[in-house]
Amino acid sequence: MIKFNSELVDEVVGGGGQLSEKYLSENSVELNLKNITDEVDRNIAILSALHPNLLVRFRDNDLSLLSKDDKKVLLRGMYQILGIKPLNDKR
Amino acid sequence: METVETAEIWHIPNQEIQASNIVRLTKEMANDLIDKVWWENIPGEKRDDEWDDHWVWTELIAERESDGAYEFLAIVSKENYVEGAMIYKSVIDSKLEGGSFCGYIDYIASAPRNRAWVVTNPVYGGVGTVLTYKAVKRSYESALGGKVFLQSLPRDRTMEFYRKIGFERTDLAQPLTDLISFELPEAKAKEWLEKQGDL
């Protein structure tokens, strides 16, 4: 749940500009999240693309064989290795 | 509709917080609930001042859906009205921090009926804030530190809104008559996440 913040209330319109080539360097990461709708799966896929060695550390787990809870554990493990504090789970 | 997360928005007529859903925006939804609906009661002279009155969300999605890095999100009120929409790309190069990546808000818009400068009695407040915050959360969850890049309209109040959050201009040479590039640095993103109780 995203909580309402009365200090920051505004409406925005933005975008529509062609993104300059300088933002799309050779280092850009190829991502394919098209058929991944689950939030945890998406985050694992993005982390795996950004940090390819991570899944090796997790013995190339086949995500399709993991339960949702196991995937959450896997994601937390990835965050831990990367030194990222996980967001509070308020759902 | 597939709900990604829930969010609180401000119902202005009733002066109360209401729950809403952030959902995945499909082409069908965009066609039926945005393109056919958003501008139907907005007078021409008001539309002329809005940069996005010609955006066709169905086409924006169609043009990007083959690129798996894009995400299409909308915020739906309990009236089942699409109050705002956003096209987010998971990874581009950061401009503020060379050699690192950030998320990218490609398109973002609150429904015209929520814009106080377009209608006399706006319905919801905080829709744009929620969508922007969702992008920051997504960036953080993707190990990008919450960093988000976007191109703002050169409207004073919009730019002030982004500055208030902590966004910084990435190219001071850009003329103030065109889209202005902003990026939210990691430290400011984390501050916002902490303030919201998510970190």
Side-chain angles (χ1 to χ4, degrees), chain A residues 1-5 7-19 22-25 27-29 31-34 37 39 42-43 46-47 50-51 79 82 84-88 90-91, chain B residues 2 4-8 10 24 55 65 68 71 90 93 95 101 106-110 114-115 125-129 133 138 140-144 149 151 153 157 161 164 179 192 196-198:
Chain A
M1 164 75 89
I2 296 176
K3 303 294 285 180
F4 178 69
N5 179 351
E7 290 171 22
L8 279 176
V9 182
D10 211 339
E11 302 317 323
V12 292
V13 180
Q18 186 69 36
L19 193 62
K22 62 188 171 188
Y23 295 105
L24 305 168
S25 73
N27 298 325
S28 284
V29 175
L31 271 179
N32 191 352
L33 308 172
K34 253 197 311 187
T37 56
E39 293 288 287
R42 287 182 75 88
N43 288 330
I46 293 171
L47 290 184
L50 287 171
H51 306 279
Y79 283 148
L82 294 170
I84 296 167
K85 184 181 172 190
L87 293 179
N88 298 325
K90 297 191 292 187
R91 277 172 234 169
Chain B
E2 183 199 338
V4 174
E5 188 168 4
T6 54
E8 293 177 342
W10 182 246
R24 293 206 184 283
W55 291 357
E65 65 184 351
E71 214 173 340
S90 296
D93 292 349
K95 183 63 182 162
F101 297 112
D106 190 3
Y107 283 83
I108 186 169
S110 304
N114 297 323
R115 302 178 199 172
V127 174
T129 311
Y133 185 71
R138 178 64 90 223
Y140 184 87
E141 288 171 325
S142 308
L144 302 177
F149 176 86
Q151 296 182 91
L153 298 193
R157 65 174 288 162
F161 168 72
K164 198 172 171 186
L179 290 169
W192 197 9
Q196 288 291 123
D198 283 313

Side-chain angles (χ1 to χ4, degrees), chain A residues 19-83:
Chain A
L19 193 62
S20 164
E21 287 291 321
K22 62 188 171 188
Y23 295 105
L24 305 168
S25 73
E26 292 170 2
N27 298 325
S28 284
V29 175
E30 282 286 322
L31 271 179
N32 191 352
L33 308 172
K34 253 197 311 187
N35 299 317
I36 308 176
T37 56
D38 180 79
E39 293 288 287
V40 177
D41 287 3
R42 287 182 75 88
N43 288 330
I44 290 173
I46 293 171
L47 290 184
S48 306
L50 287 171
H51 306 279
N53 292 335
L54 270 178
L55 274 189
V56 177
R57 299 277 294 269
F58 289 96
R59 300 188 194 91
D60 287 324
N61 270 304
D62 182 348
L63 291 181
S64 64
L65 300 177
L66 297 179
S67 69
K68 180 129 187 170
D69 284 344
D70 286 343
K71 282 190 241 184
K72 280 185 177 176
V73 172
L74 173 64
L75 183 59
R76 287 204 166 242
M78 290 173 139
Y79 283 148
Q80 197 172 18
I81 287 174
L82 294 170

Side-chain angles (χ1 to χ4, degrees), chain B:
Chain B
M1 287 183 205
E2 183 199 338
T3 299
V4 174
E5 188 168 4
T6 54
E8 293 177 342
I9 50 177
W10 182 246
H11 189 260
I12 298 168
N14 290 355
Q15 292 288 290
E16 67 179 17
I17 292 170
Q18 289 186 3
S20 65
N21 290 320
I22 299 172
V23 303
R24 293 206 184 283
L25 179 65
T26 63
K27 278 184 293 186
E28 293 71 25
M29 274 177 66
N31 183 55
D32 295 343
L33 303 175
I34 298 180
D35 298 335
K36 287 181 180 173
V37 176
W38 272 14
W39 297 100
E40 62 181 352
N41 293 319
I42 308 295
E45 67 272 19
K46 290 285 185 187
R47 290 184 62 149
D48 292 345
D49 291 337
E50 299 303 296
W51 286 49
D52 63 318
D53 74 317
H54 63 285
W55 291 357
V56 181
W57 283 84
T58 316
E59 289 177 9
L60 296 177
I61 294 171
E63 287 161 8
R64 287 162 180 76
E65 65 184 351
S66 63
D67 183 339
Y70 280 98
E71 214 173 340
F72 313 102
L73 298 171
I75 183 159
V76 179
S77 61
K78 66 180 190 183
E79 298 155 53
N80 217 25
Y81 190 95
V82 172
E83 306 294 350
M86 174 172 73
I87 297 177
Y88 175 78
K89 189 170 187 180
S90 296
V91 181
I92 64 164
D93 292 349
S94 166
K95 183 63 182 162
L96 286 181
E97 296 174 32
S100 72
F101 297 112
C102 66
Y104 170 46
I105 296 176
D106 190 3
Y107 283 83
I108 186 169
S110 304
R113 76 172 193 165
N114 297 323
R115 302 178 199 172
W117 62 93
V118 172
V119 296
T120 313
N121 298 306
V123 184
Y124 283 99
V127 174
T129 311
V130 164
L131 289 171
T132 307
Y133 185 71
K134 181 64 188 170
V136 173
K137 269 186 91 173
R138 178 64 90 223
S139 164
Y140 184 87
E141 288 171 325
S142 308
L144 302 177
K147 289 175 291 185
V148 169
F149 176 86
L150 57 81
Q151 296 182 91
S152 168
L153 298 193
R155 189 181 272 144
D156 285 344
R157 65 174 288 162
T158 304
M159 292 197 292
E160 188 49 40
F161 168 72
Y162 288 127
R163 285 198 194 97
K164 198 172 171 186
I165 294 170
F167 277 85
E168 295 176 10
R169 285 185 65 183
T170 63
D171 184 356
L172 293 174
Q174 282 177 319
L176 287 170
T177 50
D178 206 347
L179 290 169
I180 306 295
S181 299
F182 280 95
E183 190 174 309
L184 185 66
E186 184 167 347
K188 294 292 179 185
K190 286 180 175 171
E191 264 179 40
W192 197 9
L193 290 164
E194 283 169 4
K195 213 175 216 177
Q196 288 291 123
D198 283 313
L199 192 61

